[in-house]
Amino acid sequence: MNVMKPIMNDTIPRGGDWVYETKYDGFRCLLKWEKDSIRLISKNGTDLTATFPEIPSACQTEQSLIGARLPLTLDGELAILNNAHQSNFSLLQQRGRMTNTDRIAAAASERPVSFMAFDVLLEAGESLLEEPLQQRKQRLRKLFNDKSQLGQRLYAVPFSSDADAAWENAFRYKGEGVVAKRQTSVYKQGKDHRDWFKIKNWRTVTAFLTFYHTQNDYFTACVFHDGKPVDIGKCKHGLDESASDTLRQLFVTNGTKEIDGYRLPPAVCASIHTLDLVSDEIREPSFSQLLPDMDAADCTVEKLNLDMAMLPETVEATNTAKVFWPSVGVTKGDMLAYMREVTPYMLPFLQDRMLTIIRCPDGVDGESFFQKHRPDGAPDFVKGVEHDGDMHFVCNNLESLVWLANHGTMEYHIPFQPSDRTQPVEIVFDLDPPGREAFHLAVKAAKLLKQLLDNLDLISFVKTSGGKGLQVHIPIPPGTMSYADTGIFTQAIAWTLEREYPKAFTTERMKEKRGNRLYIDYLQHGEGKTIVAPYSPRKRKDATVAAPLFWEEVNDDLSPDMFTVANVIDRVQTNGCPFAPYFTTKQQQPIDKIINMTRE
């Protein structure tokens, strides 16, 4: 069957009859689920079942829960999720081209796809095409037992009547956009309707146009990189007929004739809408407008990266060309772009935590200072929190994080509890070798520590410190342990490792007495103490980051300088965030074992 397709629109329709949901950048398909057959059929009728075997496998695992509702047809999107509202279309395309079963199996294991269900078209063999959307959404909710997830790979796309909140999610997470749907609409195939609309979350970049391709009416867009023009893609659509004619005539009249068209030197500038930058090329480009007053020299790769980052309009980026890490050539603009991109992954760990920051207004080689009180002149979106008679602050939103970065914040350190609690919500071990040359001791300590935690059935997470060591995090349910309890636990674990490996590890606080041993800093986990936040940049010459790791990465190939401001975003979007399950794990921890251990 031909699926119902949303119509492109520039603005979000509003009113009580509309609901809004995230638009995922994926493959639209139908999940046809029968007792003895589970198939994925694309909107073009292609069978994708063999290409994405993790979805049928996930369905089979959950089939006993929904057997009475079969046969069932769900409409949705196949997506590889970067975060709750953003998917990775580039990786999905790579998956879609695979034909080798071994490669498919490996990819399904390493970075599996999810099926994002947003509609029910058939339930228990009954067609629901004539039911209003509102009723179909209720059926979907019941199918998922009022939860967002069924098993490991099946999701029900949440929807809301709040258009502003839906758009805020798309912007904050840099999602593809929003789909608005009329609640009373029935399911109509194709685009013969006025009931579903898609609104894209365009990134708007500036470029100069250098070549007009006469065969297809495309224009080559470029920016300057180190003073030389580099091609970022080709664009054709978006201008009205008059502007398009003017642009073509400009190239034909003034350009140099070549085999495929006409060439002009860098002069004609335009703003261009795009969804993404993939392999240094803009994706789904569309002209916004020509910019006759813009100087082509201002169209640079540095500006392109900031434009693609989509900084919030409430923060005016300043001095973006200032070099913050001279030895690796990383600028303040690079750091701002990094902080914007890392927001969906970092911000949950800052939420409601009173921050201690290190500010370096002139970069890593300039003066720096600690700050834990709310900065003077901070805007209202930087929330103040009163504590012991002083005004501290938290970073609860994108605007706050970018504002702090724009004011030279390089490091973000957090306590182990939210500002409204006195008990910790996580336990952290800081594994501190004497220097980077002894990083192998941190790897050894982390692997041994994980064995001890595994024996207690505790789920742990590991990250680089961004300096010379590793840090192991254990999320715990709020209100279950006091700092006195966690102190007994961390001491017992640290002493166990020290006793078993006295030549490698120590709990000696005096640095001069440690020798070449790794310091297990269990005392750093305590009331009033802090730890560097996941994904925080560090004040180090090489622009390293406190990078979350997968446990299988903790091996002899791991190095403390591998993860930097320049590469961590690509890493998390390619491999996923290792700390993604952190907050759901918190409630699943069998905490009774360690509580009993601390109170024996």
Side-chain angles (χ1 to χ4, degrees):
M1 64 173 289
N2 191 11
V3 298
M4 186 169 179
K5 299 174 182 177
I7 299 167
M8 184 80 78
N9 211 40
D10 292 332
T11 58
I12 301 179
R14 295 172 182 269
D17 194 30
W18 294 93
V19 293
Y20 311 94
E21 60 193 38
T22 294
K23 185 180 189 320
Y24 292 95
D25 204 357
F27 291 169
R28 178 77 178 276
C29 71
L30 299 177
L31 173 57
K32 293 180 173 288
W33 192 345
E34 301 176 8
K35 182 179 179 182
D36 300 315
S37 170
I38 301 169
R39 294 180 297 147
L40 291 168
I41 307 298
S42 77
K43 65 181 180 182
N44 299 321
T46 303
D47 193 321
L48 301 176
T49 312
T51 309
F52 302 99
E54 60 266 48
I55 300 303
S57 176
C59 292
Q60 289 170 352
T61 301
E62 305 302 322
Q63 185 154 310
S64 61
L65 300 176
I66 61 168
R69 291 185 165 92
L70 302 180
L72 178 74
T73 299
L74 301 178
D75 191 359
E77 201 89 15
L78 276 178
I80 295 178
L81 296 180
N82 287 339
N83 57 56
H85 298 275
Q86 184 195 73
S87 52
N88 194 319
F89 186 74
S90 178
L91 282 183
L92 187 70
Q93 275 190 317
Q94 294 175 32
R95 278 291 307 276
R97 299 187 188 108
M98 291 182 184
T99 55
N100 181 278
T101 54
D102 290 338
R103 287 189 64 205
I104 289 173
S109 175
E110 292 170 6
R111 196 79 155 89
V113 302
S114 299
F115 185 79
M116 314 302 293
F118 52 69
D119 214 332
V120 187
L121 310 185
L122 183 80
E123 186 176 23
E126 177 189 357
S127 173
L128 308 177
L129 302 184
E130 295 302 318
E131 274 196 5
L133 175 70
Q134 189 173 33
Q135 292 182 26
R136 302 199 308 273
K137 288 288 192 184
Q138 289 173 356
R139 287 178 180 268
L140 186 64
R141 181 178 284 166
K142 289 179 181 177
L143 178 68
F144 279 75
N145 197 26
D146 290 323
K147 297 177 181 177
S148 62
Q149 194 170 348
L150 181 64
Q152 294 297 311
R153 305 262 58 90
L154 308 177
Y155 291 83
V157 176
F159 61 95
S160 165
S161 59
D162 188 336
D164 293 332
W167 187 254
E168 174 62 25
N169 281 334
F171 179 78
R172 173 180 164 184
Y173 290 91
K174 292 189 69 180
E176 187 189 0
V178 169
V179 180
K181 297 180 178 179
R182 200 185 303 273
Q183 295 192 72
T184 54
S185 63
V186 298
Y187 196 94
K188 297 178 180 178
Q189 298 182 38
K191 292 186 177 181
D192 185 21
H193 62 84
R194 300 293 295 172
D195 297 319
W196 289 15
F197 293 95
K198 59 182 178 183
I199 303 91
K200 294 290 187 77
N201 182 27
W202 296 114
R203 293 83 166 129
T204 304
V205 303
T206 56
F208 52 86
L209 309 178
T210 59
F211 196 82
Y212 168 49
H213 302 261
T214 52
Q215 290 185 337
N216 55 23
D217 275 351
Y218 276 89
F219 296 86
T220 297
C222 297
V223 296
F224 282 112
H225 182 46
D226 292 335
K228 298 179 181 179
V230 292
D231 187 342
I232 61 168
K234 297 175 177 61
C235 191
K236 174 181 180 178
H237 304 288
L239 297 177
D240 60 33
E241 187 174 346
S242 174
S244 293
D245 288 341
T246 299
L247 186 58
R248 283 192 293 267
Q249 281 301 117
L250 182 64
F251 271 84
V252 171
T253 303
N254 300 293
T256 302
K257 181 74 170 71
E258 297 184 7
I259 294 175
D260 296 326
Y262 295 84
R263 185 175 301 279
L264 281 175
V268 181
C269 300
S271 61
I272 300 172
H273 294 318
T274 181
L275 277 181
D276 203 355
L277 193 65
V278 179
S279 300
D280 297 324
E281 186 167 324
I282 49 179
R283 179 167 161 251
E284 293 190 28
S286 172
F287 283 114
S288 171
Q289 60 180 324
L290 298 178
L291 301 172
D293 297 326
M294 186 170 190
D295 187 342
D298 294 330
C299 298
T300 64
V301 71
E302 292 80 13
K303 185 178 186 303
L304 173 69
N305 290 335
L306 279 174
D307 288 342
M308 289 300 300
M310 302 179 74
L311 300 181
E313 294 180 356
T314 49
V315 180
E316 182 182 356
T318 58
N319 301 317
T320 55
K322 183 182 289 186
V323 179
F324 264 30
W325 285 274
S327 64
V328 288
V330 175
T331 66
K332 180 183 177 183
D334 297 329
M335 184 181 76
L336 285 172
Y338 170 79
M339 297 307 297
R340 169 60 175 102
E341 297 282 2
V342 85
T343 294
Y345 313 101
M346 181 178 179
L347 201 60
F349 293 93
L350 306 183
Q351 195 77 22
D352 291 327
R353 308 275 186 109
M354 288 191 297
L355 278 180
T356 298
I357 57 177
I358 299 179
R359 290 174 61 181
C360 307
D362 294 311
V364 70
D365 291 337
E367 292 186 7
S368 64
F369 55 94
F370 285 86
Q371 184 164 359
K372 63 179 181 179
H373 296 107
R374 188 173 185 268
D376 294 336
D380 290 343
F381 53 69
V382 179
K383 181 183 175 183
V385 176
E386 190 170 347
H387 179 71
D388 289 341
D390 293 321
M391 186 57 70
H392 295 252
F393 66 102
V394 296
C395 181
N396 285 356
N397 50 57
L398 166 65
E399 292 78 8
S400 296
L401 194 55
V402 175
W403 187 88
L404 289 168
N406 193 47
H407 283 72
T409 302
M410 195 171 282
E411 295 195 7
Y412 301 77
H413 296 254
I414 54 175
F416 305 100
Q417 84 283 343
S419 59
D420 61 348
R421 291 183 178 272
T422 58
Q423 295 180 317
V425 293
E426 62 182 342
I427 299 170
V428 183
F429 289 90
D430 189 11
L431 307 177
D432 186 19
R436 283 189 172 182
E437 72 285 350
F439 184 71
H440 63 280
L441 291 177
V443 170
K444 179 177 181 178
K447 293 168 77 171
L448 291 168
L449 178 56
K450 186 177 190 300
Q451 289 178 12
L452 292 175
L453 299 174
D454 286 351
N455 290 339
L456 293 168
D457 296 324
L458 292 172
I459 301 172
S460 57
F461 298 79
V462 62
K463 75 177 196 289
T464 65
S465 67
K468 52 189 170 66
L470 293 170
Q471 294 163 345
V472 176
H473 291 242
I474 308 161
I476 59 176
T480 55
M481 298 183 74
S482 67
Y483 276 107
D485 294 330
T486 58
I488 294 170
F489 174 71
T490 56
Q491 182 186 71
I493 295 292
W495 284 4
T496 298
L497 289 174
E498 182 183 39
R499 184 173 60 251
E500 293 295 323
Y501 302 91
K503 293 183 179 180
F505 311 137
T506 181
T507 58
E508 173 58 58
R509 297 190 68 186
M510 301 297 290
K511 196 170 185 178
E512 59 272 17
K513 295 182 180 180
R514 296 176 196 165
N516 293 322
R517 294 174 294 175
L518 175 140
Y519 176 45
I520 304 173
D521 189 358
Y522 70 91
L523 294 172
Q524 185 60 29
H525 183 275
E527 190 170 9
K529 302 291 183 67
T530 64
I531 198 81
V532 66
Y535 294 109
S536 172
R538 299 307 305 265
K539 184 178 175 288
R540 307 274 306 193
K541 297 286 187 181
D542 46 3
T544 46
V545 166
L549 305 171
F550 295 101
W551 270 111
E552 55 266 29
E553 295 178 303
V554 182
N555 55 43
D556 292 340
D557 295 327
L558 186 64
S559 169
D561 58 358
M562 290 173 66
F563 309 109
T564 70
V565 167
N567 63 26
V568 162
I569 296 303
D570 284 343
R571 165 183 160 80
V572 75
Q573 291 185 349
T574 301
N575 300 332
C577 174
F579 278 28
Y582 195 89
F583 295 98
T584 53
T585 296
K586 188 176 300 227
Q587 300 301 331
Q588 302 167 7
Q589 296 278 37
I591 208 69
D592 290 345
K593 285 188 178 181
I594 59 173
I595 290 177
N596 294 335
M597 183 173 125
T598 61
R599 296 175 184 174
E600 286 179 353

